[in-house]
Amino acid sequence: MSNTLLEIKNLTVSVEKAGRLTAIVKGVDIKVPQGKIVGLVGESGCGKSMTAKTINGILPTAAKITDGAVLWHGNPNTETDLARLSEQKLRKLCGSQIGMVFQEPMTSLNPMMRIGSQVSEALLIHKLVQNKKEARAKTIRLLDEVGIPEPELRYRSFPHELSGGMRQRVMIAMAVICEPKLLIADEPTTALDVTIEAQILKLIKKMCDAYSMSAIVITHNMGVVAQICDYVYVMYMGRIMERTTVKRLFERPLHPYTRGLLASIPRIGKNPEYLQTIPGNIPEIGKEIVGCEFCLRCSDDERACFFEKPMEREIEEGHFVRCHTA
Amino acid sequence: MDGALIIAKGIHKSYPIGRGKRHPAVKDVSLELYKGETLALVGESGCGKSTLARILMRLTEADSGEIYFDGDQISGLAGRDFRPYRRRMQMVFQDPASSLDPRMKVKDIIAEPLKTWHIFDNKAEILERVKELLDMVELKESALERYPHQFSGGQKQRIGIARAIALEPELLVCDESVSALDVSVQAQILNLLKKLKGELGLSCLFISHDLSVVNFIADRVCVMRGGMLCETAETEELYANPRHEYTKYLLSSIPVVPGMQGA
């Protein structure tokens, strides 16, 4: 595919736990097409954040990439494997071409630095502007664009003077100031109130369109996926269980896990006596399961589910499922 | 519905914010919670919903206002006189990990309120009751000898619920009790709360910022903003026909999950 910006191939990430390696991301394949928003959805501990962190090399020290490649097609006619790049090169590339927004805007901003200097820092480091004056002008323009009122005044504010929603806007400004080709947003709205969440999602979508950016949005919220994503990958216990377009996923979810997940969301307008649930709990990280990772909680289990890992199958065009029974 | 379990009149509470100023957290709130109903308090962070719930349980003192529990005025009652009411209202907290003592075994956690109140004469009876409670929250008996960290988030919340219902309270206050849980587990806990409410005839004050969760569990909903109630209505009515501008805004902000056939 010529217009794929980023391709994660057979990525496996392991952590060392009590002297042995445990895989927490298992053979993950993800394609991010140019200008599209890809959703990575799953419950806590499923490995979605770890997958994203391999892209710009910010895995925690205990975790290692044990297999696979992260292929970057950001520059024409070249292919760079981010997983094998030296830290220096990775930093140069990621800083300007890949932006990241984290969940907690308070802890990811420097409390001792003024908003303006934090946002413009990357511009100066990557020498994308001639001088500080230019950096300041560009930062103020961008602060205005992400919807911060009185950007000139706010340029001199400290993070604690802003509300959570405003801080997240600053984070987004910081992530896109170098006009990156890819934005990675890790639970960008989870810490925010629902009214602010709606505003921030709109903003992310707007920025992607304005700068023809691609994005990976990591979330546990199917509503967020439905709102802004084009493609969706459903993860469970380190594995991609289902992947397709957002439209197809909601029209015809095929994996029992996806179906269970969708059914257990309380919905306004439907009021059942009891909600549908997925029985059991998410197994502990590192638990070895011989068959399908989901077999212990699945409703349509067959013999094969317990003894054999299902391969990914294309059920309809562009709709892949890792399940024996789907 | 037969009568009000909690009546609050003109509750006011403010906190000092320095330089002699005070920030009003709850402004002149009056509400009634009827016996057997689930009343939800919804609103965004900082709107005063948790403060209000804590005032109703008298974990925080209001600046002014009156609170009645089952017809008796409980606002202003001194410690000893208030104590009998304590056991009739219990709370389930948001973060199941920090609301359970990590150094206590599950059987001791659940037995603690029973011991405090001298409900039973001997250990065997207490253990019997603890087992019964575990069964009610659908945990296995093997949980007894284990510690909180050995359980998942959803299971911990079940332990918290077992502790809360151990004294057979009339009022259960759930403060964001399912917000920290994953969707698939959240649904289990919501179902459990609904089931227990029916079995035990509990009244419930359910605090949440999640309007779709509230829609499932509540009979009536109070929408709070800036320390005030801006709308109180029957759940169906509120979602079908929101009157207050803020309620409409809240409802329109929820990211909608497209429907699935047959779900």
Side-chain angles (χ1 to χ4, degrees):
Chain A
M1 265 216 290
S2 58
N3 57 352
T4 302
L5 177 66
L6 179 86
E7 191 175 0
I8 298 179
K9 262 189 180 162
N10 192 31
L11 180 75
T12 303
V13 177
S14 307
V15 286
E16 206 178 305
K17 204 175 159 192
R20 66 193 186 105
L21 283 176
T22 318
I24 48 172
V25 174
K26 305 164 189 166
V28 162
D29 296 303
I30 295 177
K31 268 186 194 156
V32 184
Q34 208 99 47
K36 299 286 184 194
I37 303 184
V38 171
L40 193 53
V41 55
E43 299 182 287
S44 48
C46 72
K48 55 192 192 300
S49 283
M50 283 295 171
T51 305
K53 282 175 177 174
T54 53
I55 299 169
N56 51 2
I58 52 169
L59 278 178
T61 40
K64 279 186 204 74
I65 301 172
T66 41
D67 197 9
V70 182
L71 303 175
W72 175 252
H73 302 274
N75 307 317
N77 304 324
T78 55
E79 189 179 87
T80 321
D81 185 358
L82 300 181
R84 273 168 195 78
L85 226 50
S86 75
E87 200 178 317
Q88 244 175 348
K89 281 187 181 154
L90 188 65
R91 188 168 167 179
K92 204 166 169 194
L93 189 141
C94 288
S96 59
Q97 298 195 8
I98 301 176
M100 186 143 187
V101 177
F102 298 92
Q103 172 173 359
E104 212 350 285
M106 191 64 216
T107 49
S108 33
L109 288 171
N110 184 339
M112 310 277 284
M113 254 173 107
R114 293 182 199 275
I115 296 301
S117 1
Q118 292 194 52
V119 176
S120 57
E121 198 181 18
L123 278 179
L124 295 165
I125 289 175
H126 294 286
K127 302 199 174 57
L128 295 171
V129 286
Q130 301 302 320
N131 52 43
K132 281 196 176 172
K133 205 174 147 197
E134 211 180 301
R136 184 187 147 89
K138 188 164 180 188
T139 303
I140 288 175
R141 223 169 33 238
L142 187 60
L143 287 179
D144 188 45
E145 209 178 323
V146 296
I148 290 177
E150 303 178 280
E152 269 124 50
L153 264 170
R154 288 294 163 217
Y155 189 87
R156 290 190 54 77
S157 298
F158 285 102
H160 75 266
E161 296 174 89
L162 304 180
S163 64
M166 283 298 148
R167 278 182 216 141
Q168 202 58 302
R169 286 172 196 270
V170 171
M171 279 297 297
I172 291 172
M174 228 163 114
V176 303
I177 186 99
C178 296
E179 299 181 16
K181 297 192 172 108
L182 175 70
L183 178 73
I184 304 173
D186 191 350
E187 302 270 11
T189 58
T190 306
L192 304 175
D193 281 317
V194 62
T195 54
I196 312 296
E197 173 175 72
Q199 296 169 10
I200 296 291
L201 290 178
K202 268 195 200 120
L203 175 65
I204 292 178
K205 182 104 179 146
K206 186 186 114 184
M207 298 312 270
C208 281
D209 291 344
Y211 293 94
S212 47
M213 238 178 352
S214 308
I216 299 180
V217 176
I218 299 165
T219 181
H220 66 277
N221 188 337
M222 281 288 189
V224 170
V225 171
Q227 197 125 338
I228 65 168
C229 295
D230 299 301
Y231 297 93
V232 57
Y233 290 74
V234 182
M235 258 184 114
Y236 184 75
M237 286 188 77
R239 232 177 256 286
I240 303 286
M241 291 303 197
E242 182 163 6
R243 63 185 169 102
T244 180
T245 63
V246 166
K247 194 167 169 282
R248 277 220 194 90
L249 187 89
F250 288 112
E251 271 173 12
R252 203 175 157 219
L254 290 174
H255 200 284
Y257 176 61
T258 317
R259 283 201 302 243
L261 209 54
L262 286 170
S264 55
I265 304 169
R267 283 159 205 266
I268 290 164
K270 277 184 199 172
N271 243 341
E273 177 65 17
Y274 286 107
L275 291 167
Q276 276 190 47
T277 61
I278 303 176
N281 290 287
I282 301 165
E284 259 175 77
I285 293 168
K287 184 169 172 165
E288 285 299 330
I289 294 171
V290 180
C292 168
E293 266 83 5
F294 190 59
C295 68
L296 300 173
R297 302 178 72 189
C298 192
S299 51
D300 33 280
D301 49 343
E302 281 176 19
R303 245 184 95 79
C305 298
F306 292 92
F307 299 108
E308 208 181 312
K309 288 248 185 287
M311 299 304 287
E312 193 175 69
R313 290 183 296 145
E314 188 169 8
I315 304 279
E316 52 187 343
E317 202 202 329
H319 195 160
F320 297 85
V321 184
R322 195 181 284 278
C323 178
H324 287 301
T325 59
Chain B
M1 265 172 268
D2 31 13
L5 182 65
I6 285 222
I7 302 174
K9 285 183 186 165
I11 302 289
H12 202 96
K13 173 77 186 172
S14 63
Y15 287 106
I17 49 169
R19 292 182 200 146
K21 288 185 203 157
R22 293 183 78 81
H23 172 75
V26 178
K27 292 184 237 176
D28 191 31
V29 168
S30 301
L31 61 80
E32 284 166 10
L33 191 154
Y34 301 109
K35 284 182 185 166
E37 81 166 341
T38 299
L39 178 69
L41 278 179
V42 296
E44 301 187 276
S45 45
C47 73
K49 52 193 194 301
S50 283
T51 306
L52 177 60
R54 293 179 62 88
I55 289 171
L56 296 180
M57 292 189 77
R58 287 205 57 207
L59 294 170
T60 302
E61 287 302 312
D63 298 341
S64 60
E66 291 162 20
I67 306 161
Y68 297 86
F69 186 88
D70 205 8
D72 310 330
Q73 184 168 357
I74 56 166
S75 45
L77 278 186
R80 195 173 297 259
D81 297 327
F82 179 61
R83 211 166 169 249
Y85 295 97
R86 279 250 184 267
R87 101 170 244 207
R88 298 167 67 181
M89 39 175 108
Q90 294 292 330
M91 201 153 178
V92 181
F93 299 92
Q94 170 168 7
D95 182 1
S98 62
S99 52
L100 301 175
D101 189 333
R103 300 176 50 146
M104 278 166 84
K105 285 181 181 169
V106 168
K107 63 171 183 186
D108 298 318
I109 290 172
I110 300 176
E112 199 174 24
L114 300 170
K115 288 176 187 161
T116 311
W117 285 88
H118 306 292
I119 307 283
F120 298 108
D121 303 328
N122 59 53
K123 282 184 182 169
E125 277 175 3
I126 292 179
L127 191 65
E128 252 339 280
R129 173 69 177 149
V130 170
K131 281 181 187 164
E132 192 187 347
L133 286 162
L134 274 183
D135 187 52
M136 285 165 82
V137 297
E138 295 153 13
L139 283 176
K140 292 197 189 95
E141 233 173 71
S142 58
L144 285 172
E145 299 292 333
R146 290 159 73 192
Y147 291 94
H149 72 89
Q150 293 170 290
F151 295 88
S152 68
Q155 290 168 324
K156 279 182 208 154
Q157 203 56 297
R158 289 175 192 271
I159 298 168
I161 293 170
R163 176 176 64 183
I165 60 173
L167 292 169
E168 300 178 333
E170 287 147 73
L171 174 68
L172 195 64
V173 177
C174 300
D175 190 354
E176 299 277 11
S177 301
V178 297
S179 314
L181 304 175
D182 281 312
V183 187
S184 70
V185 179
Q186 174 178 293
Q188 297 173 2
I189 299 295
L190 284 172
N191 284 347
L192 174 69
L193 283 171
K194 206 165 188 175
K195 184 193 92 178
L196 289 174
K197 203 200 118 199
E199 285 175 5
L200 306 171
L202 287 167
S203 312
C204 187
L205 182 64
F206 193 91
I207 301 164
S208 179
H209 68 278
D210 189 333
L211 282 151
S212 19
V213 167
V214 164
N215 174 60
F216 168 72
I217 199 140
D219 300 310
R220 282 194 311 139
V221 182
C222 295
V223 182
M224 268 187 98
R225 188 191 195 185
M228 290 186 285
L229 295 188
C230 55
E231 182 164 1
T232 304
E234 304 268 327
T235 307
E236 260 172 55
E237 177 64 17
L238 185 97
Y239 286 87
N241 219 341
R243 286 171 198 279
H244 197 281
E245 282 309 311
Y246 181 63
T247 315
K248 287 180 194 166
Y249 180 44
L250 267 186
L251 286 171
S252 71
S253 299
I254 306 171
V256 178
V257 181
M260 201 179 39
Q261 263 62 53

